[in-house]
């Protein structure tokens, strides 16, 4: 049993999904682990992680549209508006999705399903550099 | 320290919760691990995982009803409707719940609380065969 | 590679966020693990876990307010009302947030981001004693 860790940075340019499957897959493969568990962890509270369909780009568009309607920017319910109308909605969207996701490694391959992609979900309008820690344990 | 993995298939017949606690518990016990961590991972983007009360079936009915109202089938907001009115809502419901859940193993027993059950949450109307990967690490 | 486990109890007094970062950090440090993965697991279906901003208390107030509006107590949609108007909404809010969260340990420090705090999210109005299992694996 052994483990490996790596922090990657994702440059974002506005609200939306940014696929990180390839970077995560490359890290998993470079670890040489055949059987194990990979965990991705997002170090922010206004961006999060989500696994979604990676085939039709409309899925990503629709997902972003749904969250925008569910948690509208500028909602008068919110008191915390220090960083603008998309500040508090970003925190809520992060709470509604995931901060950490674990994916098994089977026969040296990340067990993502055929249509699954791993995405950073950026909830802020302005550009950000998002830090994601990858951890793998196995043998 | 050692680990084990297994993929299980859950046959679903429409939207709702399908309990997998027994299958997961059996796998954890068969691993012989006394202290460790079990991770369940759903390989789909139109079905997900959720831990819910396993006592009153009305809880499952109400949970499904809530998600159906929050993300209605046929919502005109959605562009991605290739597989029908329950296609995109299934992706959204998956994003709102969990793709992976980790449960500790303590004294050879899965640490599910007294009222907790682990469920596959099927978001599609038609029957599906859902793949869930179980991974356990410990000693 | 080694591991450690601990169950902590959080006394709650109504709906809201209860920060457990310090207790979790103390457990991670006491394990002596320099590189690894910490998992927190909530053993309930009417309370959950969430990572949120720990700087401005208004974030927590707004988050609670959003979930209260999204899943109102006493919603006539719900059949399961055995324990009162906040019973079923508590289960739904738990499903919408997280039951388990994994956080890497890097250079002996929990990889929480600068503004991240780990919280127990209590969804019931009456006081409860909530059990959270902490598990760490690494070296």
């Amino acid at each position: 049993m052994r483990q490996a860790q790596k922090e990657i940075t994702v440059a974002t340019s506005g609200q939306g999904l940014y696929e990180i499957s390839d970077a995560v897959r490359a890290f998993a493969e470079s670890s040489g682990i055949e059987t194990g568990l990979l965990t991705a962890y997002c170090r922010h509270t206004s961006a999060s992680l989500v696994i979604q369909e990676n085939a039709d780009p409309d899925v990503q568009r629709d997902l972003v549209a749904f969250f925008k309607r569910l948690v509208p920017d500028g909602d008068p319910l919110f008191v915390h508006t220090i960083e603008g109308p998309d500040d508090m909605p970003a925190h809520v969207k992060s709470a509604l999705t995931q901060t950490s996701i674990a994916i098994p490694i089977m026969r040296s391959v990340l067990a993502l399903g055929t249509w699954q992609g791993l995405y950073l979900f950026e909830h802020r309008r302005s550009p950000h550099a998002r830090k994601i820690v990858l951890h793998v344990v196995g043998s």
Side-chain angles (χ1 to χ4, degrees), chain A:
Chain A
M1 297 279 296
R2 64 184 190 279
Q3 54 182 1
Q5 273 184 351
K6 187 184 184 181
E7 187 176 81
I8 62 171
T9 302
V10 181
T12 64
S13 52
Q15 297 172 329
L17 298 183
Y18 296 80
E19 187 160 15
I20 58 172
S21 308
D22 285 348
V24 172
R25 212 177 264 122
F27 167 70
E29 284 169 17
S30 73
S31 74
I33 284 175
E34 293 171 19
T35 301
L37 187 73
L38 177 137
T39 301
Y41 178 78
C42 178
R43 304 186 77 183
H44 305 275
T45 61
S46 54
S48 54
L49 298 174
V50 75
I51 283 183
Q52 271 301 305
E53 196 197 276
N54 60 0
D56 181 0
D58 281 341
V59 171
Q60 299 168 41
R61 178 237 160 251
D62 284 353
L63 194 77
V64 172
F66 177 86
F67 276 90
K68 204 182 278 269
R69 188 182 67 184
L70 184 66
V71 198
D73 287 352
D75 192 319
L77 177 71
F78 299 134
V79 171
H80 176 85
T81 56
I82 300 173
E83 295 184 36
D86 61 329
D87 184 354
M88 193 59 219
H91 294 305
V92 173
K93 290 174 190 169
S94 295
L96 286 169
T97 50
Q98 284 166 276
T99 304
S100 68
I101 292 181
I103 309 170
I105 297 173
M106 303 172 79
R107 292 170 227 96
S108 304
V109 177
L110 210 56
L112 283 167
T114 312
W115 309 108
Q116 286 185 321
L118 177 58
Y119 295 87
L120 173 78
F121 196 170
E122 174 61 71
H123 305 302
R124 300 301 309 272
R125 296 173 178 179
S126 55
H128 281 80
R130 300 304 195 174
K131 305 282 185 190
I132 296 166
V133 180
L134 307 178
H135 175 269
V136 65
V137 59
S139 60

